[in-house]
């Protein structure tokens, strides 16, 4: 896979998730960050840092991006969310417009 086909999402703790750009584009916020005209670091480097989103939550968000792509292609399955992550996930989802 080519570097320009991936995006690096970085959690508050500095953990890096390298995911398909197509999956990252599920988020309107990330899409805007990566496609905005100008010389933004996110656009140039294909990296987005989330200083307020923990590694655990960002991992679940990345899983959701891939699940969403599969669901859109007609592969219906459940997306399990642990109850203890619900509030933090809702806040992150609101920010990411997912």
């Amino acid at each position: 896979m080519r570097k320009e086909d991936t995006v690096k999402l970085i959690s508050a703790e500095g953990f890096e998730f390298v995911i398909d750009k197509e999956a990252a584009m599920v988020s309107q916020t990330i899409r805007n960050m990566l496609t905005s005209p100008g010389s933004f670091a996110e656009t140039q480097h294909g990296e987005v840092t989330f200083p307020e989103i923990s590694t655990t939550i960002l991992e679940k968000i990345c899983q959701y991006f891939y699940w969403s792509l599969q669901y859109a292609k007609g592969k219906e399955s459940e997306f399990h969310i642990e109850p203890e992550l619900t509030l933090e996930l809702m806040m992150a989802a609101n920010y990411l417009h997912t």
Side-chain angles (χ1 to χ4, degrees):
M1 181 172 289
R2 300 176 320 172
K3 186 178 193 270
E4 55 271 3
D5 294 335
T6 62
V7 175
K8 186 183 295 183
L9 305 180
I10 305 168
S11 72
E13 297 86 5
F15 193 89
E16 300 175 352
F17 295 91
V18 179
I19 66 172
D20 296 328
K21 193 171 194 174
E22 179 186 17
M25 295 296 190
V26 167
S27 164
Q28 184 66 43
T29 301
I30 295 173
R31 182 181 308 127
N32 290 342
M33 289 176 172
L34 296 175
T35 60
S36 296
S39 300
F40 296 105
E42 292 87 359
T43 304
Q44 291 180 344
H45 303 292
E47 295 182 7
V48 182
T49 302
F50 297 101
E52 301 296 323
I53 300 178
S54 70
T55 300
T56 303
I57 296 301
L58 191 55
E59 179 180 25
K60 197 67 170 179
I61 289 168
C62 291
Q63 291 170 3
Y64 172 78
F65 291 162
Y66 283 104
W67 176 86
S68 181
L69 289 177
Q70 293 301 310
Y71 189 81
K73 293 176 183 174
K75 297 181 181 176
E76 293 187 29
S77 63
E78 289 187 25
F79 184 75
H80 179 73
I81 298 173
E82 294 80 4
E84 62 273 11
L85 300 180
T86 304
L87 180 59
E88 204 172 345
L89 271 172
M90 287 175 51
M91 292 176 5
N94 185 49
Y95 171 72
L96 294 171
H97 294 91
T98 55

